[in-house]
Amino acid sequence: MDSINDFFSWLSSVLWGWPMIILLLGTHLYLTVRLRVPQRKLLLGIRLSVKKDHKGAGDVSQFGALATALAATIGTGNIVGVATAVALGGPGAVLWCWLTGIFGMSTKYAEGLLAVKYRVRGSDGRTYGGPMYALERGLGMKWLALLFAVFTALASFGIGCTVQANSIALLANETFGIPTWVVGVFVCVLTASVILGGVKAIARVCMVLVPFMALLYVAGCIVILCMNGNYVWPAVQLIVRSAFNPSAAGGGFVGATVMMAARYGIARGLFSNESGMGSAPIVAAAAQTRNPVRQALVSSTGTFWDTVIICALTGLVLVSSILAYPDITFADGAALTKVAFSKIPYVGAPLLAFGILTFAFSTILGWSYYGESAVNYLEVSGEKTEVRSSRFYRILYIVALFFGSIINLDIIWNIADCMNALMAIPNLVALLLLSGVAAAETRKYLWAGRIDDAMEED
């Protein structure tokens, strides 16, 4: 097992190395230019996200689709991941992470657009879409679509299921002394009560849970920033300076380099917002929207909330805390986050624990839908196939949650990282080769001022 774990650890480091970072960031930049900076329409996307599109076809509201995508996206990476980037790459990593979110909005826009453009209606009456359908229907690459679906299904049991349940169980055990198996049973029951109801039930819960947990976490960050008031602006200056001159940070960051700051900041940003990974467009395809561009704009706001706001706030909290409390050590990202939040009297530590617990649970809900959709795509024969496949997958997912709560998951983490990277490759192929379609649809609806027009469903 050690040899297998070492292999997947090595493979993960290769897959998430500079080639993947350059490919993802390059796609972000290319689509930003090709689509004429869709980030300019952020406010329009936010307005559309809170409006119901009664003229659109789909299974859930646009906000429901966005909330479900955010549920899967906003996770421990927003808290511990950013801290790890700061610990390894210095304060400058925060700026690179933030820039990744800014440019990643265009990729998330294109993903949402193609998901709606090539979505289909299943024999069970539900709407299905995502990179596998774009690859098959838009490019005729059925074999690559199947690979994406396989990687997504496997990833859902890793990063979306077992590792999240494990994080919840360990945190509850360390914080409250609850046995891991008890936590596992509770997580299984709670998850089953939601996902057995399908995407509509998942969306309903996420529409309540995501805004609540995000606002509570942001409120905690703002309290810390107020406490560190005299150090906030110096922290901003340090982040910008050390992004290009890490030695400016001084102290334990002297050994950092520009390449390290960029690598860890970009990698954590990409991993956090999942722009380019191909997961979020799976639920975007189920949105009730009258044309692809409307949902594309809504989808792009997900990266804004996840990285541009939440990750940036986390980074600013960490760097200002380092300046305000020189005794804070930053060798361990997780420890750095705990120390920063512990500065809030009485409620700081419980607030962080609650944030991690809810972020992890929301990821479980969002990824359950991603995996289920991938399994349904792989099993396409028979009139009631989608129903049978969905039931089987949901039961297996719930069982995996329990085992994830009670076993060591080092090897699962490494395998999950590999599957996430392998998901991104077929999705990026679809994005780049279908960028002309994305540009044409954007020209038709957005640039021509026809954002309220309805599309003709295939």
Side-chain angles (χ1 to χ4, degrees):
M1 289 299 293
D2 288 340
S3 298
I4 296 174
N5 188 41
D6 290 342
F7 168 76
F8 279 106
S9 177
W10 168 81
L11 182 60
S12 174
S13 65
V14 171
L15 290 173
W16 282 106
W18 274 111
M20 176 63 75
I21 290 174
I22 292 172
L23 180 59
L24 279 165
L25 189 58
T27 302
H28 292 351
L29 295 171
Y30 170 73
L31 291 174
T32 296
V33 175
R34 184 72 190 268
L35 301 175
R36 298 185 187 177
V37 195
Q39 294 91 330
R40 296 179 296 118
K41 301 296 182 179
L42 172 64
L43 293 180
L44 174 59
I46 293 175
R47 287 199 299 270
L48 290 174
S49 69
V50 295
K51 292 174 58 178
K52 287 188 175 181
D53 193 346
H54 297 288
K55 297 182 179 180
D59 299 330
V60 297
S61 67
Q62 291 183 135
F63 181 70
L66 174 63
T68 304
L70 281 173
T73 303
I74 298 178
T76 54
N78 297 81
I79 303 176
V80 179
V82 175
T84 302
V86 172
L88 296 175
V94 177
L95 178 63
W96 291 109
C97 180
W98 185 78
L99 289 174
T100 300
I102 291 290
F103 290 109
M105 290 173 62
S106 60
T107 299
K108 193 64 73 72
Y109 170 93
E111 287 179 318
L113 189 153
L114 295 176
V116 176
K117 172 71 176 177
Y118 294 109
R119 66 185 180 181
V120 300
R121 180 75 66 177
S123 61
D124 59 351
R126 292 192 297 170
T127 304
Y128 294 97
M132 51 277 205
Y133 294 92
L135 285 164
E136 179 185 355
R137 302 184 69 211
L139 295 171
M141 295 182 175
K142 176 77 172 181
W143 63 275
L144 197 55
L146 290 171
L147 283 178
F148 175 85
V150 169
F151 296 144
T152 302
L154 293 175
S156 72
F157 285 105
I159 196 67
C161 176
T162 52
V163 297
Q164 301 299 331
N166 191 260
S167 297
I168 292 174
L170 290 179
L171 182 62
N173 179 259
E174 293 174 359
T175 306
F176 307 109
I178 305 173
T180 55
W181 71 268
V182 174
V183 179
V185 171
F186 178 75
V187 171
C188 288
V189 172
L190 198 61
T191 303
S193 67
V194 179
I195 70 173
L196 291 179
V199 65
K200 293 184 178 180
I202 293 173
R204 283 196 299 269
V205 172
C206 291
M207 287 170 65
V208 176
L209 179 62
V210 170
F212 173 73
M213 70 181 192
L215 287 173
L216 192 62
Y217 178 73
V218 168
C221 289
I222 292 174
V223 170
I224 296 176
L225 292 177
C226 289
M227 294 172 61
N228 299 345
N230 293 333
Y231 299 92
V232 173
W233 180 242
V236 173
Q237 294 176 311
L238 180 60
I239 287 171
V240 175
R241 285 201 311 270
S242 58
F244 306 100
N245 180 24
S247 62
F253 296 113
V254 172
T257 66
V258 173
M259 295 295 285
M260 289 173 63
R263 176 182 176 182
Y264 289 110
I266 293 172
R268 295 301 175 183
L270 293 172
F271 195 80
S272 172
N273 60 52
E274 297 183 10
S275 293
M277 192 179 295
S279 51
I282 294 175
V283 70
Q288 295 170 338
T289 182
R290 68 187 72 181
N291 64 61
V293 170
R294 289 174 72 93
Q295 184 56 35
L297 291 169
V298 172
S299 294
S300 69
T301 66
T303 299
F304 171 77
W305 296 121
D306 175 87
T307 305
V308 180
I309 299 298
I310 294 181
C311 284
L313 277 174
T314 301
L316 195 56
V317 161
L318 296 175
V319 177
S320 65
S321 295
I322 290 171
L323 294 177
Y325 307 101
D327 58 313
I328 291 181
T329 57
F330 37 79
D332 184 340
L336 174 58
T337 308
K338 290 179 181 178
V339 172
F341 272 81
S342 67
K343 298 301 179 180
I344 303 178
Y346 306 111
V347 298
L351 176 63
L352 179 62
F354 180 78
I356 294 176
L357 290 172
T358 53
F359 282 8
F361 179 67
S362 70
T363 300
I364 290 172
L365 297 182
W367 269 93
S368 71
Y369 180 72
Y370 296 161
E372 181 181 327
S373 298
V375 169
N376 284 336
Y377 180 81
L378 293 170
E379 183 66 56
V380 294
S381 60
E383 189 66 23
K384 297 182 179 179
T385 297
E386 289 92 346
V387 176
R388 292 197 301 269
S389 297
S390 294
R391 289 174 180 170
F392 175 76
Y393 174 83
R394 292 170 190 171
I395 293 172
L396 190 61
Y397 194 83
I398 293 167
V399 172
L401 282 173
F402 178 75
F403 285 102
S405 302
I406 60 175
I407 63 176
N408 185 288
L409 291 178
D410 288 344
I411 188 172
I412 302 299
W413 266 109
N414 289 324
I415 293 174
D417 284 346
C418 293
M419 293 303 105
N420 284 339
L422 292 172
M423 281 175 61
I425 295 172
N427 181 57
L428 292 173
V429 169
L431 285 170
L432 293 173
L433 295 183
L434 293 173
S435 60
V437 175
E441 293 291 313
T442 303
R443 182 183 306 110
K444 177 180 179 181
Y445 294 106
L446 186 60
W447 300 343
R450 299 171 56 197
I451 196 67
D452 294 325
D453 286 6
M455 69 176 288
E456 294 181 3
E457 298 279 356
D458 294 336

